Amino acid sequence: MTISMIGIDHDRAPVDVRALFAFTKKNAGEAMEKLKEKAGIHGCIILSTCNRLEIWASHEDEQELSLYQCLCELRNIQDPSYEEYFISREDKEAVEHLFYLAGGLKSQILGEDQILTQIKDALNLAREHFTTDSVLEVLFRMAVTAGKKIKTEAPLAHGNPSVIHQAVSSLREQGYDMHGKICMVIGNGEMGKVAAQTLRDAGANVTVTVRQYRSGMVSIPIGCSRIHYGERMNFLPKCDVVVSATASPNYTLRRELFDDITLTKPLLLLDLAVPRDIEPALGGEEGVTLYDMDSFRTENCDLSRCFKDAREHCSDVLRISSLKISSLYESLIRLEKACREDGYAKELYCRILFLEFMIHLNRAASGSHLEYVSTSPSSEKVLEIMRYISENPSSDFTIDSL
């Protein structure tokens, strides 16, 4: 039995390419049923989010399977050039990737919680359509269990960060404060609710759109108002910010809808959907600023920065001012303990803790909580001896030889 997967994500492709291969919950179920009908495939799961699309399959070892071709057939895409955006993995590499993914290590926002829920939802959807098998069932359950352990014992993010949190934070750094702003959130699904609550917590006056036929059955975040979806263009001129986060296959805001309204103040549009909710042409309108899912991406952190700084200081020693209040020291103790113990997903857990330690180390170094101690000629000799001992552990050492 072989486990194979193919994936595309925010690091490999822009939002418009990801949108071509995105699945809604309904058509993901239908696609999994079609995929499992192929000879040799025992089970399959589709994970489709705003930032990634992955197809997983368990199949016979000798079977030559191109999941990319299967995906193109499902999405009716003929262009082979898109294959360069995808990555394929098998067996150990695929399993390791899923565990890292469940731990939030491959998310656009490091350590975010939503991916864990999305992996569970993907597994549940496969169960509903009878497309999973014992191999993928156990694999995904184990990944979720490992992800929960990481979230509990080695959290890399505080609270429940998401793209809207990142957007609000980034805009605040640019001098745009949400406090007192009139905001409309189009969509009342999971992402819409998170967006509405985040804007409300930031001090905005938030109105959420709901579909008229469901308006009496849905709940919205406390403190928010509601309007029918069909009234959104009448309300839009009053807004400072409009967020759209739906699973609609069509635009919720189109260029032609703005022909009959007059904007009297700058308008900020945040499109948090894949495929897009807001027609890109609106970003060129006067007084309108449009952001999408890729607008607030953070660059990969250089965790070797502290070592580069140490070289600039000609230092091989970092001094912590106080161990008792040092999160760096606490993370080092957790890492040391985990490396000594045996337990479920030990290797992955130790890697997570090491990453946490490196983050704290760089934070301490950049925040001047560490002192770079100059390497004197005497300490250089000590370091030389330590390196010699490390490289020759089986040798007999004497004072003379050292």
Side-chain angles (χ1 to χ4, degrees), residues 211-228:
R211 294 287 185 177
Q212 188 166 6
Y213 66 90
R214 298 173 60 188
S215 60
M217 300 181 291
V218 298
S219 62
I220 61 175
I222 296 175
C224 298
S225 303
R226 75 172 71 194
I227 60 172
H228 295 312

Side-chain angles (χ1 to χ4, degrees), residues 78-279:
Q78 310 294 330
D79 191 342
S81 65
Y82 291 118
E83 189 170 7
E84 67 181 75
Y85 294 105
F86 285 82
I87 185 170
S88 300
R89 300 180 179 92
E90 286 189 353
D91 296 330
K92 182 179 179 181
E93 185 184 6
V95 170
E96 187 176 76
H97 162 76
L98 183 60
F99 275 64
Y100 273 78
L101 187 64
L105 293 180
K106 297 199 172 186
S107 297
Q108 182 173 342
I109 303 174
L110 185 66
E112 56 94 4
D113 293 338
Q114 286 184 322
I115 186 61
L116 191 58
T117 300
Q118 290 162 345
I119 291 174
K120 290 190 291 186
D121 290 345
L123 175 59
N124 288 333
L125 185 63
R127 288 170 178 163
E128 292 174 11
H129 290 267
F130 304 100
T131 64
T132 187
D133 66 341
S134 59
V135 174
L136 293 180
E137 175 79 24
V138 172
L139 171 60
F140 271 65
R141 284 200 340 244
M142 290 178 67
V144 169
T145 300
K148 289 179 179 178
K149 182 179 178 68
I150 291 167
K151 302 296 182 187
T152 302
E153 301 186 20
L156 298 175
H158 298 286
N160 184 20
S162 64
V163 174
I164 186 62
H165 290 88
Q166 194 171 6
V168 171
S169 177
S170 178
L171 290 169
R172 185 184 300 115
E173 291 175 359
Q174 298 174 34
Y176 194 94
D177 189 358
M178 290 292 176
H179 187 79
K181 295 292 191 295
I182 299 176
C183 300
M184 175 170 61
V185 176
I186 301 175
N188 194 40
E190 180 182 357
M191 181 65 81
K193 285 185 170 67
V194 171
Q197 188 62 60
T198 302
L199 293 170
R200 185 78 182 103
D201 292 342
N205 298 315
V206 182
T207 297
V208 179
T209 70
V210 295
R211 294 287 185 177
Q212 188 166 6
Y213 66 90
R214 298 173 60 188
S215 60
M217 300 181 291
V218 298
S219 62
I220 61 175
I222 296 175
C224 298
S225 303
R226 75 172 71 194
I227 60 172
H228 295 312
Y229 174 77
E231 299 172 343
R232 67 193 185 287
M233 295 311 298
N234 294 330
F235 185 73
L236 189 141
K238 303 176 184 177
C239 297
D240 300 292
V241 179
V242 176
V243 177
S244 190
T246 77
S248 172
N250 304 310
Y251 291 137
T252 57
L253 293 178
R254 303 189 306 276
R255 169 64 189 82
E256 63 191 54
L257 296 176
F258 281 65
D259 291 339
D260 298 328
I261 64 173
T262 301
L263 299 179
T264 59
K265 55 183 176 179
L267 177 64
L268 197 66
L269 301 178
L270 302 180
D271 189 343
L272 304 185
V274 178
R276 292 178 184 269
D277 269 355
I278 301 175
E279 187 174 3

Side-chain angles (χ1 to χ4, degrees), residues 264-385:
T264 59
K265 55 183 176 179
L267 177 64
L268 197 66
L269 301 178
L270 302 180
D271 189 343
L272 304 185
V274 178
R276 292 178 184 269
D277 269 355
I278 301 175
E279 187 174 3
L282 284 170
E285 294 297 302
E286 184 177 357
V288 176
T289 303
L290 173 61
Y291 295 99
D292 61 29
M293 286 290 293
D294 291 343
S295 299
F296 301 101
R297 291 182 57 184
T298 55
E299 297 181 0
N300 292 329
C301 299
D302 181 7
L303 295 181
S304 66
R305 174 182 171 184
C306 58
F307 301 116
K308 296 175 182 176
D309 291 344
R311 284 196 296 270
E312 292 179 2
H313 288 80
C314 299
S315 173
D316 290 300
V317 180
L318 294 174
R319 179 179 293 153
I320 304 174
S321 58
S322 174
L323 291 179
K324 292 183 179 179
I325 61 173
S326 173
S327 56
L328 173 62
Y329 178 69
E330 292 176 357
S331 67
L332 181 59
I333 294 299
R334 287 195 295 271
L335 175 59
E336 181 183 21
K337 181 181 178 182
C339 291
R340 290 178 176 176
E341 297 176 346
D342 289 325
Y344 180 73
K346 175 185 176 180
E347 182 180 353
L348 176 62
Y349 186 44
C350 288
R351 291 185 185 184
I352 300 292
L353 290 176
F354 177 73
L355 179 60
E356 181 192 34
F357 167 73
M358 290 301 300
I359 291 173
H360 283 300
L361 178 59
N362 279 272
R363 284 182 176 179
S366 63
S368 300
H369 299 303
L370 292 180
E371 177 187 354
Y372 290 98
V373 180
S374 297
T375 304
S376 64
S378 59
S379 59
E380 285 182 0
K381 183 60 178 178
V382 171
L383 291 168
E384 183 181 342
I385 292 173

